[in-house]
């Protein structure tokens, strides 16, 4: 979080981690670092003044990230300070005085200079040789068809680490297309019949959209990562990289989600649970990419349970999602999916069978134990082998 910066585009301002942010992702955006938080005459921003008054300023390494994150939240009127600051690390003064500073500055007006970013922006049309930045889904479909082995970069929260931690060069990935600027790939549509989420929709936006319809899913996404990560990461990236511990697929499978794939002008739908074939293997042909994911609109019965070493901002050890319908005390339908229990996100069909048509009580849970071993025999064999 020490590398937090404010990135502003037509949709507003958000805090992002500059250390995993590629330059092409900033096309058409304004960037404000900690040096730009104070005014043109050296006037302190309200969060800077509050940090001084509440003794929140600390070491020079972490303070800049706190300031930019606080200034972003202040500009956006976000007062869930613990969530907003969770992506920044403090080992000096501790979080209490920093949170008090954020609370003290919350009602102060946003300085005029913080509204000037886009008005001063001059955008030069990029002519890249080593990467592409499609402007529409049609352009993206053509690019993927022409570069079937290419890499699509959404928020770069994964690919960025390949470079910073894995020490790969972006050139080593082959053809690269940055898709974060494709508006029609970021749409979130909620009707009475269906919820459709574009592949490039950011986790932060997905989380807000799900709060009123599936709050447990939204709360699980709040634990997905820091504000900076949620502001960049995309739901399509979380699905397409096919990690067995990705947080979104189990919840989406439990909701009966369909994945919408596109190859050129052709489109194909596949149940999300069938998209994952084996570890590292998905039902996607060369030239095809994930365009969106959707699921039926239904009464909220979804419960998500995530186990991780840290409660927040940690990868899942196990994530279980349960969508169980009970009428008059009897289970009439059940969709249960897990991540971290096999080489792929997987539906627990045997467990579902033991529940449907039976009373929903403690005995139902007891009856399901043996079924878990049937559903996740691979995990059980590994456990027995490892002792």
């Amino acid at each position: 979080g020490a590398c937090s910066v404010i990135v502003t585009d037509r949709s507003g301002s958000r805090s992002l981690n500059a250390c995993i942010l590629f330059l092409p992702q900033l096309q058409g955006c304004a960037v404000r670092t900690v040096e730009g938080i104070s005014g043109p005459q050296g006037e302190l921003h309200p969060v800077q003044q509050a940090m001084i008054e509440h003794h929140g300023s600390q070491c020079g390494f972490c303070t800049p990230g706190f300031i930019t994150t606080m200034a972003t939240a202040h500009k956006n009127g976000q007062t869930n300070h613990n969530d907003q600051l969770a992506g920044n690390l403090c080992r000096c003064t501790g979080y209490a005085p920093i949170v008090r500073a954020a609370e003290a500055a919350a009602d102060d007006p946003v300085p005029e200079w913080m509204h000037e970013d886009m008005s001063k922006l001059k955008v030069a049309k990029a002519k890249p040789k080593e990467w592409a930045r499609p402007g529409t889904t049609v352009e993206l479909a053509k690019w993927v068809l022409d570069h079937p082995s290419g890499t699509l970069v959404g928020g770069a929260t994964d690919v960025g680490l390949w470079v910073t931690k894995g020490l790969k060069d972006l050139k080593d990935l082959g053809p690269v297309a940055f898709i974060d600027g494709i508006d029609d790939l970021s749409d979130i549509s909620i009707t009475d019949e269906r919820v459709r989420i574009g592949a490039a929709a950011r986790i932060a936006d997905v989380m807000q959209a799900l709060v009123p319809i599936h709050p447990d899913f939204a709360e699980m996404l709040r634990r997905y990562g820091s504000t900076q990560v949620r502001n960049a990461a995309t739901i399509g990236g979380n699905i397409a990289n096919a990690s067995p511990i990705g947080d979104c697929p189990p919840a989406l499978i439990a909701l009966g989600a369909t994945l919408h794939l596109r190859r050129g002008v052709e489109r194909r739908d596949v149940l999300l649970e069938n998209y994952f074939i084996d570890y590292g293997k998905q039902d996607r042909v060369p030239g095809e990419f994930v365009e969106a994911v959707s699921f039926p609109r239904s009464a909220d019965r979804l419960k998500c349970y995530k186990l991780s070493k840290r409660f927040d901002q940690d990868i899942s050890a196990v994530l279980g999602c349960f969508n169980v319908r009970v009428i008059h005390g009897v289970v009439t339908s059940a969709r249960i999916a897990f991540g971290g229990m096999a080489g792929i996100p997987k539906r627990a069909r045997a467990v579902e069978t033991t529940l449907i048509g039976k009373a929903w009580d403690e005995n139902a849970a007891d009856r399901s134990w043996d079924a878990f071993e049937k559903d996740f025999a691979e995990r059980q064999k590994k456990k027995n082998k490892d002792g």
Side-chain angles (χ1 to χ4, degrees):
C3 64
S4 298
V5 295
I6 304 174
V7 175
T8 302
D9 59 18
R10 290 170 297 170
S11 64
S13 298
R14 53 200 168 106
S15 58
L16 292 174
N17 292 123
C19 57
I20 53 173
L21 191 64
F22 291 107
L23 192 60
Q25 293 176 266
L26 298 175
Q27 179 75 5
C29 301
V31 181
R32 189 179 287 265
T33 65
V34 69
E35 291 83 1
I37 302 300
S38 57
Q41 305 302 319
E43 309 96 317
L44 291 181
H45 188 286
V47 301
Q48 292 175 309
Q49 186 63 45
M51 284 281 273
I52 295 171
E53 294 175 355
H54 291 269
H55 308 288
S57 57
Q58 18 110 42
C59 77
F61 183 76
C62 297
T63 303
F66 271 102
I67 294 297
T68 53
T69 299
M70 293 168 71
T72 308
H74 181 263
K75 183 179 180 181
N76 294 331
Q78 295 165 321
T79 57
N80 52 335
H81 304 300
N82 288 333
D83 285 345
Q84 295 300 314
L85 296 173
N88 300 89
L89 180 65
C90 176
R91 289 187 176 130
C92 299
T93 61
Y95 284 87
I98 297 174
V99 172
R100 284 197 290 268
E103 292 172 342
D107 293 331
D108 291 336
V110 178
E112 286 298 320
W113 63 84
M114 295 297 293
H115 295 294
E116 298 173 352
D117 295 28
M118 292 302 287
S119 64
K120 293 185 177 182
L121 181 66
K122 295 181 180 179
V123 180
K125 187 171 180 59
K127 296 181 179 180
K129 295 181 180 179
E130 299 172 352
W131 49 269
R133 200 167 192 272
T136 66
T137 308
V138 173
E139 293 177 9
L140 173 62
K142 183 180 184 306
W143 186 91
V144 176
L145 206 56
D146 293 339
H147 305 85
S149 62
T151 299
L152 301 184
V153 180
T157 54
D158 196 6
V159 176
L161 294 175
W162 298 354
V163 175
T164 61
K165 302 299 182 184
L167 304 182
K168 290 185 178 180
D169 193 298
L170 200 59
K171 299 176 184 176
D172 299 335
L173 304 179
V176 175
F178 292 88
I179 63 173
D180 55 296
I182 304 178
D183 290 340
D184 59 335
L185 198 65
S186 306
D187 289 341
I188 300 175
S189 171
I190 301 177
T191 68
D192 291 340
E193 290 77 33
R194 203 158 187 86
V195 177
R196 182 183 171 98
I197 304 171
R202 299 174 186 131
I203 295 296
D205 297 328
V206 175
M207 182 178 72
Q208 291 303 316
L210 290 175
V211 168
I213 58 174
H214 292 298
D216 222 51
F217 193 170
E219 171 58 17
M220 183 266 287
L221 291 180
R222 189 194 65 79
R223 296 174 56 193
Y224 176 96
S226 66
T227 297
Q228 292 90 333
V229 170
R230 293 193 300 268
N231 281 341
T234 64
I235 192 166
N238 193 247
I239 294 170
N241 71 8
S243 167
I245 52 174
D247 286 345
C248 291
L252 291 168
I253 291 172
L255 289 170
T258 296
L259 199 62
H260 305 283
L261 301 168
R262 179 167 179 171
R263 186 177 187 274
V265 297
E266 299 174 355
R267 288 182 168 91
R268 180 170 69 96
D269 295 341
V270 59
L271 285 176
L272 183 58
E273 63 204 68
N274 296 332
Y275 172 73
F276 306 102
I277 299 171
D278 201 349
Y279 183 80
K281 184 179 181 181
Q282 301 87 48
D283 181 9
R284 190 174 73 243
V285 301
E288 196 172 44
F289 66 95
V290 176
E291 187 172 29
V293 63
S294 69
F295 54 87
R297 183 74 186 272
S298 61
D300 179 46
R301 296 181 293 268
L302 183 68
K303 297 296 180 184
C304 301
Y305 301 91
K306 174 175 176 171
L307 298 179
S308 53
K309 290 184 178 180
R310 282 195 316 271
F311 185 80
D312 287 318
Q313 301 180 58
D314 201 359
I315 60 175
S316 294
V318 174
L319 174 64
C321 295
F322 299 76
N323 187 8
V324 180
R325 184 183 185 190
V326 180
I327 298 179
H328 302 307
V330 176
V331 177
T332 59
S333 66
R335 293 185 65 92
I336 300 171
F338 277 84
M341 289 291 287
I344 58 173
K346 188 177 178 183
R347 189 171 168 188
R349 292 183 178 276
V351 175
E352 295 170 1
T353 300
T354 65
L355 298 176
I356 296 173
K358 306 295 194 307
W360 183 242
D361 52 25
E362 288 188 24
N363 290 330
D366 292 338
R367 287 192 301 269
S368 69
W369 289 124
D370 291 341
F372 272 103
E373 292 190 13
K374 293 180 182 178
D375 280 319
F376 303 106
E378 174 187 340
R379 175 76 175 227
Q380 188 64 29
K381 288 177 183 177
K382 185 178 186 302
K383 181 179 177 183
N384 293 337
K385 182 180 178 181
D386 296 343

